[in-house]
Amino acid sequence: MSEPATRRIRIGIDTGGTFTDVVALDEESGELVTTKTPSTPSDPADGFMAGIDKVLGLLGLPEGDGSAIAAVSHGTTVATNQLLEGKVDALGFITTEGYDAMLEIARQSVPDGYGNSYFWVKPPRIVPRHLVKAVGGRLDFTGAEVRRFDEDGAREVARWFRAKGIDTLGVCFLHAYANPDHEERMRAILAEEHPDAVVSISSEVLREYREYERAMTTLVDAAVKPRLSRYVTNISRRLQEYGGRKVPFYVMKSNGGVLSADEVVHQPITTVLSGPAAGALGAALIAKVAGFDRVLTSDGGGTSTDVSVVIDGQPALTTEGSVGAYPSKIPMIDVVTVGAGGGSIAWLSPEGTLKVGPQSAGADPGPICYGKGGDQVTITDAHVFLGRIPPHLLGGEIPLDADSAKAGIEALAKELGMSAEACAAGVLEISAWNQANALRQVTVKRGLDVRDFTLTTFGGSGSLLLCRLMDILGIPTVLVPPNPGNVSAFGLLTVDVKNDYVQTHVALHESVDPATLQTAYDALTEQARVALTTEGFADETHVFQRTADVRYFGQAFEVRVPVPDGPLDRAALDEVANRFHAEHKTLYGYDFSADDSQQVEWVNVRTSGIGPIQRPEIRKAEGLDTPPRASGATRPTREVCFDAEIGYVDTALFQRSELPPGTVINGPAIIEEFGSTVPLHPGFSARVDDYLNIIVTRVDKRDQA
């Protein structure tokens, strides 16, 4: 009798501030299982391993047996949180002689425009001036050596940092994007004179011009490298012990791809904002299968809400992002984050006005209703008080103290001189407008009409205010996927291995030599090919995407456009220019395609190397074991307040697991499931589609007549 085939389980695991979300895919049967487990901030690896053990148990595998794990993909906020909290340990900076004030000078731009310049105070630099050292030697913009590298000075600098105990260093020399020789020599000297130092060099982190942004990106890479390396190494070790072998372990990158843990420790900067990236990709795939190609994603968690825009299944990318106070030029999914999560705190300004966020109660002590000692009203407390969420989380695993939430709301309402219902509704209204402004930022400010998009809401708190967002923004349709609290973890199972490579090549379009550009792209493609081969992908599976950063001569920033496949000739380059004109008009409302006096200029050439993975198949529902109750049948209800002036109304409760395709529910209603809740306000209707997504629209007035 033959032995049964060994199961192969792929796992996506997203560690958030409150919960760790887990999705497991049986590659043979296509079975998809989701669950959650509390995060463990003191040691995130504990929550990580507990989640894996729990999800394997749901698949019927023995406790503690990880032999069936085929691969694990992980979205982490370790680097993001370190930067947002400003926890940057002692960091040194080595740059070109005469440019040691680069970080102090920075850029002339002032947040919120020059009208703010009188009040704005320049934030502390990531490296204080006394920890910046300069080394002699100079390259020009072509990479040619103007002055010889000062090796004696380099050794003196290396010894100085060693004596000071500064073990994390960033190196950024002028024009190293064109020639890495001086930076590589500096690293070699550091290895000899200061072998304990962790070093990042700009020619490996970011081969683009603009020395300030290149320096900052390099320093951020260096700053997060020690902590992220320890974190990833710890989880890799525990996975190996659990699985009885080296389990393939991938970490999500900000650009929408994943990278093996062995490689990501050398590119830690690429993991900032990796959690929001996974959610955007998962939601993009779900919406595309459901028939929506222009989508806004809104990922609501315990601390914040992350929004992005997806067109034709592809999230928008940017290289103008930042994490906290630190600009980063690496390619990342264009995500806007707003402090409007379930734990966001409601507070009074000195003027006595109500504010919400960005401060958060987090997971510990959490909202008042958690019963862990929290004493500040949060968005979750307002939802509990108004009856919009049940008095428990995760299907009853975590009970909520509704009475304590009520007492907190009433105390805040007394300070404001209004009813408790008006106070709670006001907290949620402010949160809804904060989220709406973030959605406008990724659409209207980029030349897109928000009303042309379908909003996809997910995350534990992402769907709680969807009806108000539809009203505020004029959005016609909202899609809520199944298991919305686990979409980010699901997204980790949909992403390919992806590496990005860039080379600055500044030249006017009319004078660009196609052969020179072809050589540059070929070199980048070869780097991408080697990386994919190292990751274990056969040559025939490799996918390469070419893009270019282009601008009008005299502009300070660029627009990225795709470059046609195949050999580059004059016709291909002209097509890039035409695409640039069209994209510029979309973004800014005008272009100079008909004005020969406005010249097009190439700035950076880019190549992405992609190693495709097997994606989970999103299948149509085959029917439910438990048929739904007839609409006229008796069903449980709860008193819910949708409008403070009207007060509480008796509202029907629906369990999402009981709703088959074709079900239509008109508000007011509450649709509950394991990790999320959808409050359906009066005047709105929810329909369950063939993939068990909830599609929310406004009720046609004629249907109500």
Side-chain angles (χ1 to χ4, degrees):
M1 187 174 179
S2 61
E3 291 291 325
T6 303
R7 297 176 72 180
R8 288 178 53 82
I9 309 298
R10 261 196 313 128
I11 299 173
I13 184 161
D14 180 55
T15 301
T18 307
F19 294 105
T20 294
D21 304 328
V22 193
V23 174
L25 171 70
D26 187 320
E27 293 186 340
E28 184 67 27
S29 68
E31 181 183 3
L32 203 65
V33 174
T34 67
T35 191
K36 285 176 177 283
T37 188
S39 295
T40 51
S42 59
D43 185 356
D46 290 340
F48 182 100
M49 297 308 302
I52 287 181
D53 203 46
K54 184 176 180 181
V55 81
L56 291 179
L58 293 174
L59 285 166
L61 294 168
E63 183 178 352
D65 181 6
S67 60
I69 301 176
V72 177
S73 295
H74 179 40
T76 174
T77 57
V78 168
T80 309
N81 291 343
Q82 180 183 351
L83 297 173
L84 289 175
E85 295 166 8
K87 295 180 178 178
V88 176
D89 298 328
L91 184 63
F93 179 43
I94 302 171
T95 190
T96 301
E97 188 176 47
Y99 285 80
D100 43 336
M102 181 196 307
L103 300 181
E104 299 298 327
I105 297 170
R107 292 295 180 199
Q108 66 178 354
S109 58
V110 174
D112 300 321
Y114 289 105
N116 189 40
S117 59
Y118 180 81
F119 304 98
W120 182 66
V121 177
K122 184 183 292 187
R125 306 292 91 181
I126 190 172
V127 179
R129 184 68 183 271
H130 70 279
L131 295 181
V132 177
K133 291 294 179 181
V135 175
R138 183 69 180 270
L139 304 170
D140 68 13
F141 74 96
T142 68
E145 189 174 73
V146 177
R147 287 200 304 272
R148 188 173 58 84
F149 181 65
D150 182 2
E151 297 218 0
D152 293 338
R155 291 187 183 279
E156 184 179 335
V157 165
R159 292 166 185 162
W160 186 89
F161 278 116
R162 184 186 63 191
K164 293 291 183 180
I166 306 299
D167 299 330
T168 307
L169 301 169
V171 180
C172 180
F173 291 150
L174 208 63
H175 302 306
Y177 59 84
N179 182 349
D181 290 351
H182 286 190
E183 286 191 350
E184 290 175 352
R185 185 60 193 139
M186 185 72 235
R187 180 169 58 183
I189 289 172
L190 285 167
E192 296 170 10
E193 301 288 349
H194 191 4
D196 293 334
V198 174
V199 181
S200 293
I201 63 175
S202 74
S203 52
E204 289 188 352
V205 175
L206 186 73
R207 294 196 72 166
E208 285 186 48
Y209 87 144
R210 293 194 175 103
E211 68 277 5
Y212 171 68
E213 287 79 7
R214 184 159 48 93
M216 283 298 301
T217 304
T218 303
L219 288 166
V220 168
D221 182 80
V224 301
K225 190 175 285 185
R227 184 177 297 189
L228 186 77
S229 297
R230 289 193 298 269
Y231 174 78
V232 170
T233 301
N234 181 29
I235 288 183
S236 296
R237 176 185 56 80
R238 293 184 63 170
L239 268 177
Q240 184 169 344
E241 294 171 356
Y242 188 84
R245 71 192 196 289
K246 186 172 183 178
V247 175
F249 179 38
Y250 297 96
V251 178
M252 184 73 196
K253 297 170 65 178
S254 310
N255 67 352
V258 291
L259 189 63
S260 69
D262 293 338
E263 291 297 319
V264 84
V265 295
H266 304 300
Q267 305 176 34
I269 183 68
T270 62
T271 68
V272 298
L273 298 181
S274 70
L281 288 162
L285 178 61
I286 292 168
K288 187 175 183 179
V289 171
F292 300 98
D293 57 0
R294 294 173 68 85
V295 176
L296 300 175
T297 69
S298 180
D299 180 3
T303 302
S304 62
T305 295
D306 305 307
V307 304
S308 64
V309 61
V310 178
I311 298 177
D312 295 330
Q314 296 298 318
L317 292 173
T318 181
T319 55
E320 306 297 332
S322 63
V323 185
Y326 308 117
S328 175
K329 285 280 288 180
I330 61 160
M332 58 178 68
I333 289 180
D334 194 0
V335 174
V336 172
T337 300
V338 60
S344 295
I345 294 170
W347 53 284
L348 296 182
S349 71
E351 298 80 21
T353 57
L354 181 63
K355 305 282 187 180
V356 179
Q359 303 92 340
S360 174
D364 191 9
I368 296 174
C369 60
Y370 276 23
K372 294 183 179 180
D375 58 1
Q376 294 177 290
V377 171
T378 66
I379 290 173
T380 298
D381 294 313
H383 281 297
V384 170
F385 174 73
L386 296 174
R388 298 188 190 181
I389 62 175
H392 56 74
L393 297 177
L394 303 187
E397 290 184 18
I398 301 177
L400 300 178
D401 186 349
D403 291 337
S404 294
K406 179 182 179 182
I409 293 285
E410 289 176 341
L412 181 61
K414 186 175 181 181
E415 289 188 68
L416 290 166
M418 60 175 62
S419 70
E421 289 77 13
C423 174
V427 169
L428 300 186
E429 185 72 1
I430 293 170
S431 178
W433 278 90
N434 288 341
Q435 293 179 42
N437 288 336
L439 288 163
R440 285 195 178 105
Q441 195 170 331
V442 296
T443 52
V444 177
K445 289 188 176 182
R446 288 158 173 76
L448 303 170
D449 189 336
V450 67
R451 295 168 297 183
D452 294 337
F453 289 80
T454 295
L455 176 62
T456 301
T457 60
F458 56 97
S461 66
S463 303
L464 291 171
L465 295 172
L466 66 83
C467 291
R468 281 301 296 139
L469 290 174
M470 293 177 73
D471 281 338
I472 294 169
L473 296 170
I475 293 174
T477 307
V478 173
L479 181 150
V480 184
N483 301 304
N486 294 79
V487 169
S488 288
F490 170 78
L492 290 163
L493 299 180
T494 72
V495 293
D496 302 318
V497 171
K498 183 178 180 183
N499 289 294
D500 297 309
Y501 302 90
V502 60
Q503 178 66 61
T504 290
H505 185 92
V506 181
L508 291 174
H509 178 70
E510 291 181 354
S511 61
V512 167
D513 178 16
T516 302
L517 276 185
Q518 184 72 61
T519 300
Y521 275 115
D522 288 346
L524 296 177
T525 301
E526 177 60 18
Q527 290 182 56
R529 187 196 65 78
V530 170
L532 290 174
T533 301
T534 302
E535 293 280 353
F537 290 91
D539 286 353
E540 62 271 15
T541 66
H542 296 180
V543 177
F544 303 105
Q545 295 177 345
R546 302 187 300 194
T547 56
D549 296 344
V550 189
R551 66 189 179 192
Y552 291 117
F553 180 74
Q555 288 183 325
F557 294 96
E558 300 79 44
V559 174
R560 184 172 306 168
V561 292
V563 174
D565 295 330
L568 292 178
D569 53 19
R570 177 50 56 182
L573 302 192
D574 289 342
E575 175 60 24
V576 171
N578 290 334
R579 292 176 179 180
F580 164 68
H581 291 310
E583 185 65 17
H584 194 281
K585 186 169 185 177
T586 297
L587 289 172
Y588 304 113
Y590 69 95
D591 70 272
F592 294 118
S593 57
D595 186 348
D596 293 337
S597 68
Q598 297 290 340
Q599 301 181 78
V600 172
E601 185 176 41
W602 291 61
V603 178
N604 298 309
V605 295
R606 300 178 181 272
T607 295
S608 297
I610 300 170
I613 55 92
Q614 177 190 346
R615 287 176 171 78
E617 180 185 357
I618 299 177
R619 300 173 177 174
K620 290 186 176 182
E622 297 178 353
L624 301 174
D625 296 333
T626 305
R629 304 177 187 181
S631 57
T634 303
R635 88 168 31 258
T637 62
R638 183 168 67 235
E639 293 291 304
V640 179
C641 179
F642 295 99
D643 187 321
E645 293 184 1
I646 296 174
Y648 288 85
V649 295
D650 201 36
T651 303
L653 306 180
F654 294 82
Q655 286 300 315
R656 186 168 182 177
S657 59
E658 299 176 357
L659 305 178
T663 300
V664 175
I665 299 170
N666 290 327
I670 301 289
I671 303 173
E672 299 177 353
E673 60 182 302
F674 176 75
S676 185
T677 300
V678 178
L680 198 63
H681 291 223
F684 291 83
S685 177
R687 173 180 57 84
V688 180
D689 73 1
D690 291 342
Y691 301 95
L692 298 182
N693 300 301
I694 294 176
I695 310 297
V696 180
T697 56
R698 290 177 183 79
V699 175
D700 192 311
K701 303 288 190 204
R702 292 168 297 183
D703 294 338
Q704 292 181 302

